[in-house]
């Protein structure tokens, strides 16, 4: 099988890539080269492993080499901000950037993890506006999701975590940033204290990730009766235990693969003058699913 985007590289080929460490398991090249192939764009997307201490040189070098756009992944999403000329307001607020767009004199940072989550949810008819949301986890991923929930005008965000101090810290930060008491911290084991109503629940811990497919942060069926929609940021396995428990209790459940696809699509749109339709997104989704054996 031919790898890459399927066309010849020539003198006009544009380059994009992803910076991280480690980077060998990234699926971003698959997403972007699939899009370039579909649109017939003369663009290649490659992984760049950047060693500890090499980020500033990498960003400057990328600019000097006329790299069109970059993604940034673990562990550089926070650190990269100080090497940018500008940042989108939500990305700046979160303090995490995963997409760099070439602008005059340097790169502008965006957070398409969050715009991608919003778009993935909206493609399933899910909106955060006016919702009471349960957020499971208070780590890096959950913190970014908490910002998105508040920015999207959620009515309440209950942050449930094993370590209460982290949930308290994220809650306080969100309430301060948005100037309203939108978020409340709770211990995971205190989930029964959640007011008796139905929620959108977002699973943002690392629990249940392959190969620990049968693990989940809350087992109690009573909890799942309160969930009308469950959204797991994990996509490996394709059906997590969290999703199964949501469905068993009568709710709808989704995994994080569409979020992953849409963070790529949003970045691709920022770099190229193109609007990607739902059909194009579904095409990429199928390619990625097949290549990943999901
Ligand atoms: P990420 O960047 O993926 O968010 P992280 O910042 O390390 O990773 O956060 C991991 C999240 O998963 C945290 O909310 C963590 O809970 P703690 O803050 O209590 O550590 C949660 N997590 C990981 N393992 C867990 C477990 N076995 N039970 C419950 N929560 C767990």
């Amino acid at each position: 099988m031919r790898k890459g985007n399927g066309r010849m590289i020539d003198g006009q080929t544009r380059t994009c890539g992803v910076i991280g460490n480690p980077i060998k398991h990234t699926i971003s090249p698959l997403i972007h080269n699939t899009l370039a192939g579909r649109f017939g764009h003369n663009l290649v997307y490659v992984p760049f492993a950047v060693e500890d201490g090499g980020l500033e040189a990498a960003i400057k070098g990328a600019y000097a080499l006329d790299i069109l756009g970059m993604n940034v992944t673990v562990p550089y999403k926070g650190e990269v901000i100080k090497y940018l000329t500008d940042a989108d307001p939500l990305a700046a607020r979160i303090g995490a950037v995963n997409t760099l767009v070439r602008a005059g004199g340097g790169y502008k940072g965006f957070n398409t993890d969050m715009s991608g989550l919003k778009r993935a949810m909206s493609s399933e008819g899910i909106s955060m506006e006016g919702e009471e949301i349960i957020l499971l986890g208070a780590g890096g991923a959950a913190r970014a999701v908490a910002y998105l929930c508040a920015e999207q005008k959620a009515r309440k965000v209950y942050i449930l975590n094993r370590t209460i101090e982290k949930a308290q810290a994220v809650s306080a930060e969100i309430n301060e940033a948005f100037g309203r008491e939108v978020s409340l911290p709770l211990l995971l084991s205190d989930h029964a204290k959640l007011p008796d109503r139905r929620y959108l629940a977002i699973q943002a811990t690392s629990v249940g990730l392959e190969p620990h497919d049968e693990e989940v942060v809350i087992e109690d069926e009573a909890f799942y009766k309160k969930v009308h929609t469950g959204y797991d940021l994990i996509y490996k396995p394709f059906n997590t235990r969290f999703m199964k428990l949501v469905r068993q209790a009568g709710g709808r459940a989704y995994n994080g693969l569409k979020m992953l696809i849409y963070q790529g699509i949003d970045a691709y749109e920022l770099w190229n003058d193109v609007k990607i339709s739902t059909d194009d997104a579904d095409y990429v989704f199928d390619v990625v699913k097949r290549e990943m054996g999901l």
Side-chain angles (χ1 to χ4, degrees):
M1 189 186 83
R2 177 159 185 172
K3 294 282 180 189
N5 71 11
R7 61 176 289 161
M8 293 297 286
I9 291 171
D10 60 21
Q12 294 182 56
T13 302
R14 298 303 309 261
T15 307
C16 290
V18 54
I19 286 180
N21 187 23
I23 202 66
K24 283 200 174 120
H25 297 292
T26 177
I27 71 138
S28 289
L30 178 61
I31 296 175
H32 291 282
N33 291 315
T34 298
L35 284 166
R38 185 156 171 98
F39 288 104
H41 290 154
N42 193 351
L43 181 151
V44 289
Y45 184 105
V46 290
F48 295 114
V50 172
E51 293 298 323
D52 195 19
L55 186 61
E56 183 174 14
I59 302 298
K60 283 192 177 149
Y63 192 77
L65 289 168
D66 198 29
I67 304 276
L68 177 64
M70 305 272 272
N71 283 130
V72 180
T73 188
V74 179
Y76 299 125
K77 289 185 190 187
E79 188 192 342
V80 74
I81 295 178
K82 58 178 185 273
Y83 306 122
L84 305 178
T85 47
D86 194 8
D88 161 78
L90 182 62
R93 229 172 182 178
I94 298 171
V97 154
N98 80 316
T99 299
L100 309 188
V101 177
R102 197 175 177 82
Y107 289 100
K108 178 173 179 180
F110 292 83
N111 189 311
T112 71
D113 290 326
M114 287 308 102
S115 63
L117 173 59
K118 181 175 122 194
R119 199 160 158 189
M121 284 188 153
S122 136
S123 80
E124 314 283 11
I126 306 165
S127 159
M128 292 176 164
E129 192 173 340
E131 280 286 341
E132 302 231 347
I133 299 175
I134 296 171
L135 180 57
L136 301 176
R143 182 176 158 278
V145 174
Y147 269 90
L148 181 69
C149 294
E151 197 240 13
Q152 290 298 302
K153 304 191 175 68
R155 190 157 55 200
K156 263 288 170 279
V157 185
Y158 294 91
I159 302 181
L160 275 61
N161 201 45
R162 172 181 62 179
T163 313
I164 189 68
E165 291 78 10
K166 280 211 234 163
Q168 285 165 340
V170 176
S171 259
E173 191 186 327
I174 299 294
N175 292 341
E176 166 80 25
F178 290 86
R180 63 185 177 114
E181 291 300 299
V182 56
S183 180
L184 276 167
L186 204 63
L187 260 178
L188 274 171
S189 51
D190 279 344
H191 65 80
K193 291 185 182 165
L194 285 164
D196 203 8
R197 63 188 317 287
R198 297 193 82 207
Y199 298 86
L200 165 61
I202 302 173
Q203 203 302 109
T205 76
S206 46
V207 179
L209 201 56
E210 201 180 68
H212 306 285
D213 298 25
E214 289 313 311
E215 292 181 9
V216 65
V217 282
I218 298 173
E219 276 284 353
D220 190 351
E221 260 179 59
F223 169 75
Y224 293 93
K225 294 212 173 89
K226 291 181 179 164
V227 176
H228 65 72
T229 304
Y231 209 98
D232 201 329
L233 300 197
I234 293 174
Y235 52 84
K236 248 180 157 179
F238 202 69
N239 284 298
T240 63
R241 177 137 176 83
F242 169 78
M243 290 165 65
K244 288 177 190 163
L245 289 166
V246 168
R247 287 185 184 131
Q248 272 168 28
R252 297 184 300 165
Y254 304 91
N255 67 26
L257 191 62
K258 278 219 166 135
M259 172 186 174
L260 179 74
I261 305 291
Y262 274 112
Q263 68 71 32
I265 283 177
D266 278 4
Y268 195 91
E269 286 185 347
L270 286 167
W271 298 328
N272 299 284
D273 195 16
V274 64
K275 186 79 198 139
I276 295 168
S277 68
T278 315
D279 275 357
D280 298 325
D282 286 343
Y283 173 79
V284 179
F285 185 79
D286 288 342
V287 170
V288 170
K289 227 178 120 180
R290 190 173 60 238
E291 287 281 325
M292 292 178 82
L294 291 171

